[in-house]
Every structure is written in structure tokens, then in C-alpha cells.
Amino acid sequence: MKKFSVAEMARKQIEKAAKTMGLSEQLLKIFMCPKRLLRVTFPVQMDDGTVKCFIGYRCQYNDARGPTKGGVRYHPDVSEDEVIALAAWMTWKCALVDLPYGGAKGGVICDPTQLSERELEKITRRYTAEIMPILGPHIDIPAPDVFTTSKTMAWMMDTFSMMTGRTEPAVVTGKPEVLGGSKGRKEATGKGVFITTRELYRKIGKSLKGARIIVQGFGNVGSYAAYFLSQEGAKIIAASDSSTGIIDPEGLDVKDMMECVEKHKLLEPYKKGKKVPRDEVLYQEADILIPAALENQIREDNADKIKVKAIVEGANGPTTPEADEILEKKGVYVVPDILANSGGVIVSHFEWVQALSGLYWEEKEVNERLENKLVKTFNEVWETSEKLKTSLRISAYIVALNRVAEVYKYRGIFP
Ligand code: NAD
């Protein structure tokens, strides 16, 4: 069987949107190619004295609109193929929400659950040193992603600052507040998932009160999305993480589960609700599914088993193009990742602006700006979808690709 390629999936999405909007062949060629890809191998002395070599990547997909921006992922499945796809999605996401950024992504192949804090710090610092030539507040600005946190960003910022000889808070976002992290950044992606879900429900004339929701992946994005949705009166009837699935038709206690994950890292020790194999949660009867784990979760082979009326993508790339077609035929609304999870990069942009200016904002200002940007973009995507009679995903891509295409009209192709 042919191996699944996330980069190919990202390319198919661009091709489909390009065809619908009539994008020129020249621009399509540019949009299909990552601009820069760095692969590094570096040794780290482990706690037991042995030396291990790690492989890391950084891909800068397209920087036509500004310095590149994107997370750093620590996971055993990190690959060249995956960073290219994730960097491409960052490019379209930043363009969609009209940020002055291109897209990037990075990662290190490792299993963070098997590493001590000391080992994680060494890996982070050495990885940062290796990709240093292509990093910088006006070149490429990393942020947290799967299994990386504000602490990881603090180590990256410190390493960069030590090597340049000056403290540089604008080189990463998602930092602790004391280092110039923005208020509201930690919960921003989950909050964005909530806002886009609410906007979808407004458009289709429904209320979130009592809406039954499934959340796959209970990390940063999934847990905060669940939290804000439950605050609005929705019921989280099923949730999962890499260790287990949990179901309760009466609604799970999100705060309680967040405390469990804070303490034990996983949902496995959580006592309430009914435990089920983690993938079972995807197939429960509910109103909304929020995939907030990894890519390639809703595929041709399981899309038919999904029984929700709407999917709001917290994760990047959870739905394959083949699954998209099945869901479209079933009349399921899919709020695409580049819109639904863009809250994170929106507030990351606010953090970068604050770091560059040295002027820090109150949480109220951050949240108001986030809300305005997301509602405006949601409306733009919805209107495009109504006008062109196309899915929300393709509509989001059309808005994004148009923005990048517009830049090429003026910048041209060097030389
Ligand atoms: P995280 O590491 O905080 O959480 C990931 C969660 O997914 C964990 O609970 C993990 O146990 C769970 N998980 C892993 N494999 C699973 C599986 N097969 N089934 C169920 N659960 C599984 O990461 P995160 O930052 O919340 O990122 C989640 C997704 O959101 C990723 O696709 C990431 O690229 C995307 N994203 C994150 C941000 C951000 O600001 N953190 C922004 C935009 C998009």
C-alpha cells in the first residue's frame, strides 16, 4: 500500500482551490514548492551518560508576505514530509487571517514522554543552535506545537539570545509572560476553535447551549476548546488523548479533566465517565466533532462512520481530501484547520508586535483583537463559500491564495 503523505495532501488541497479560483499555472508552481528546508543531526548526552543523535527539521515554505512563522513539534513521527505540509498550512493560515507572515514549521524526531526535563532542554538548545542561521525576529519565528510548551520557547529564546549577545524576545512566541509572552496566548488556539464553532452555529441558526461535542486530543488546543465551549453551555460528551477515550452522555467535567492532565500529563488516570478505546470517541453520535490531536484522523476508510453534523478542525490536517468529499456528500460542515485553529498564530503575532515595540497589552485588548479578526475572517470565508457554492475549506484556501497571489503581482519573481 502507498504510504500516506501529508505533503501530498497539502498539495491536493492547493490544487483543488487553484482550479476552482482559476489561479495561474505560474503561481500554482510557486505555491507547490517549499522555499527552504533544513535537516540537522545533532548529538545529545543523555542522563545516563550515553550519547544519542537526533534529527531535526525546519521548513520555511513561503515568505512572500513576511518573515516565516510556525511551531516546533517534538514527536516520534516528525518527518520531512510532515514539516513541509505543516509549513505550507502555516503559509495559507497566516495569509487567510491577513498576518504579515509567511509559513514555517520545525520538529525533532523524539519521544518527549521518554525524556527527562534536562534532556529536553539539551535537545531544544542544540536544535536551536543548529537552525540558528535561518532564525531571527525578522526571518523566522518559532512557536509551540505538539509536545512543546512555553518552557521550550524560553530555552529557544535564551539560546538565540546567548548566541547573538543580546536578549531577543521577538525571536519566538508562546513564551512565558515574564519573558514577554502575550497574555491570552496559551488559550488562544482553543479560544479560536470556540469562536469559529460559535460563528458557524450563528450562521446556521443554532445555539451552542446543550450542543453535544466530541473532542479528540486533550492537549493545549483540545482542552481549551472544550473549556470555552462548555462555558457557553455546550456538553462535552466524549474526549480522548493518546492514552484513552472517555464518554459521558451527560457531559464531562472539563475543568476536572484539565486538572488531571496538568497533574498526570494524560487522561488515563481520570476516574469519571466511561473508558473506551481512544478512537471510539470519533464515532459517537453528537452534534460537533473537534479533532485536536494530529493529522490524518478522518480518512476515506472511517469518514462514513462519523455521525456528527459539523467538524471544527483544532488540529492541522486531521481530514484527508478523500474524507472531505465523503463528508461533503453527507452535508457535514467542516470548518477547516487554517481558519479554526488560527487563533494561536493570531495571538502569536500580537506577542511579536508587543515584543518588538516593548509595549505590553492587557488581556482584554488581546481577546478583543482576536475576536474581531476571527469573526471578520469567518464571514469572508462564509461569503466566499455562498458565492462560489464551494466548501468552507476550498473557500478559505481561495481567500488565502488570493492574498499571496496579490503580493506576487507587486513583488514579482526575483530576479
Ligand atoms: P499537545 O501536545 O498539547 O496535545 C496533543 C494532544 O493530542 C494530547 O492530548 C495527545 O495525548 C493527543 N493525541 C495524540 N495522538 C492522539 C490520538 N491518536 N488520539 C487521540 N489523542 C491523541 O498539542 P497541541 O498544541 O494541543 O496541538 C494539537 C494539534 O493542534 C496539532 O495538530 C497542532 O499542530 C495543532 N495546533 C496547535 C496550535 C497551538 O497553539 N498549540 C496552534 C494551531 C494548531
Side-chain angles (χ1 to χ4, degrees):
M1 205 168 86
K2 199 175 152 222
K3 201 173 173 287
F4 171 74
S5 160
V6 214
E8 197 175 311
M9 169 175 156
R11 282 193 293 271
K12 274 190 193 163
Q13 291 167 333
I14 304 171
E15 270 174 330
K16 192 166 174 193
K19 204 167 154 196
T20 314
M21 70 195 276
L23 188 78
S24 75
E25 276 293 317
Q26 289 95 316
L27 281 175
L28 181 59
K29 268 187 206 151
I30 298 172
F31 292 175
M32 298 290 258
C33 301
K35 175 189 166 91
R36 191 175 286 136
L37 176 66
L38 179 62
R39 178 192 191 271
V40 295
T41 310
F42 54 90
V44 172
Q45 186 167 38
M46 310 304 280
D47 290 351
D48 63 4
T50 59
V51 170
K52 268 196 188 160
C53 277
F54 290 88
I55 295 173
Y57 299 97
R58 187 75 187 167
C59 174
Q60 297 167 349
Y61 194 86
N62 182 298
D63 64 356
R65 289 176 50 88
T68 49
K69 184 90 192 76
V72 175
R73 178 175 291 194
Y74 288 174
H75 197 275
D77 295 340
V78 163
S79 66
E80 188 175 311
D81 184 76
E82 188 186 65
V83 286
I84 290 174
L86 290 164
W89 288 327
M90 279 307 294
T91 305
W92 317 127
K93 191 185 304 181
C94 292
L96 174 65
V97 292
D98 207 4
L99 302 177
Y101 286 144
K105 204 79 179 195
V108 177
I109 305 174
C110 64
D111 182 356
T113 62
Q114 303 302 312
L115 296 164
S116 71
E117 175 133 334
R118 210 174 119 94
E119 289 166 340
L120 279 171
E121 177 175 352
K122 284 187 185 172
I123 290 171
T124 304
R125 288 186 179 279
R126 183 64 191 254
Y127 168 68
T128 309
E130 294 294 339
I131 65 166
M132 182 87 187
I134 59 166
L135 280 190
H138 297 287
I139 304 170
D140 183 13
I141 309 124
D145 190 71
V146 174
F147 283 133
T148 53
T149 62
S150 58
K151 201 178 254 175
T152 323
M153 293 306 113
W155 291 327
M156 288 192 87
M157 176 256 189
D158 184 68
T159 305
F160 186 91
S161 299
M162 287 298 127
M163 292 181 75
T164 52
R166 58 171 194 276
T167 295
E168 189 51 88
V171 71
V172 290
T173 58
K175 301 176 293 291
E177 271 182 45
V178 68
L179 295 184
S182 179
K183 289 192 172 27
R185 172 60 184 92
K186 193 172 166 209
E187 53 273 46
T189 311
K191 181 170 263 181
V193 172
F194 155 66
I195 294 172
T196 48
T197 310
R198 186 197 67 204
E199 290 308 297
L200 172 74
Y201 257 45
R202 276 189 185 153
K203 293 283 186 212
I204 60 177
K206 286 189 165 191
S207 160
L208 276 175
K209 221 173 173 61
R212 292 160 310 140
I213 298 184
I214 303 166
V215 178
Q216 184 207 33
F218 206 75
N220 173 283
V221 179
S223 64
Y224 278 111
Y227 173 75
F228 290 115
L229 284 160
S230 62
Q231 292 284 301
E232 198 72 9
K235 270 202 264 185
I236 310 301
I237 60 129
S240 66
D241 72 357
S242 54
S243 68
T244 189
I246 305 176
I247 295 178
D248 185 349
E250 296 311 311
L252 292 157
D253 182 341
V254 176
K255 264 259 165 211
D256 207 28
M257 288 163 72
M258 284 169 99
E259 276 164 28
C260 170
V261 173
E262 178 82 37
K263 211 156 130 197
H264 306 285
K265 292 199 174 357
L266 292 170
L267 280 174
E268 175 57 38
Y270 193 69
K271 295 275 182 292
K272 297 176 208 158
K274 185 179 153 209
K275 290 268 170 66
V276 293
R278 68 176 192 207
D279 289 350
E280 278 305 300
V281 301
L282 288 174
Y283 312 126
Q284 301 303 306
E285 189 113 37
D287 298 306
I288 304 167
L289 165 64
I290 298 180
L294 294 168
E295 53 271 4
N296 196 25
Q297 297 301 303
I298 307 168
R299 303 168 304 266
E300 195 172 9
D301 62 291
N302 69 353
D304 242 342
K305 292 202 268 174
I306 295 202
K307 299 188 205 98
V308 294
K309 299 169 194 89
I311 296 175
V312 184
E313 296 182 332
N316 285 309
T319 315
T320 65
E322 296 75 23
D324 260 343
E325 280 177 22
I326 298 170
L327 296 167
E328 214 173 322
K329 277 195 198 120
K330 290 205 314 182
V332 178
Y333 289 102
V334 179
V335 182
D337 45 9
I338 60 169
L339 173 60
N341 71 31
S342 63
V345 74
I346 293 172
V347 177
S348 269
H349 173 245
F350 298 160
E351 180 171 327
W352 180 72
V353 168
Q354 292 170 77
L356 289 176
S357 68
L359 199 64
Y360 289 89
W361 309 348
E362 292 305 326
E363 189 159 353
K364 189 167 169 282
E365 179 166 2
V366 171
N367 287 338
E368 276 172 12
R369 284 178 184 262
L370 170 66
E371 168 87 26
N372 290 343
K373 207 167 213 2
L374 272 176
V375 172
K376 183 169 176 262
T377 311
F378 189 95
N379 284 333
E380 217 174 341
V381 171
W382 185 266
E383 280 156 23
T384 306
S385 155
E386 299 262 281
K387 200 167 114 198
L388 302 178
K389 305 258 168 298
T390 185
S391 68
L392 292 173
R393 184 178 323 276
I394 296 304
S395 305
Y397 270 93
I398 291 175
V399 174
L401 295 180
N402 262 328
R403 286 215 171 96
V404 188
E406 191 70 7
V407 166
Y408 278 95
K409 203 161 97 187
Y410 293 99
R411 286 190 67 165
I413 301 167
F414 178 81

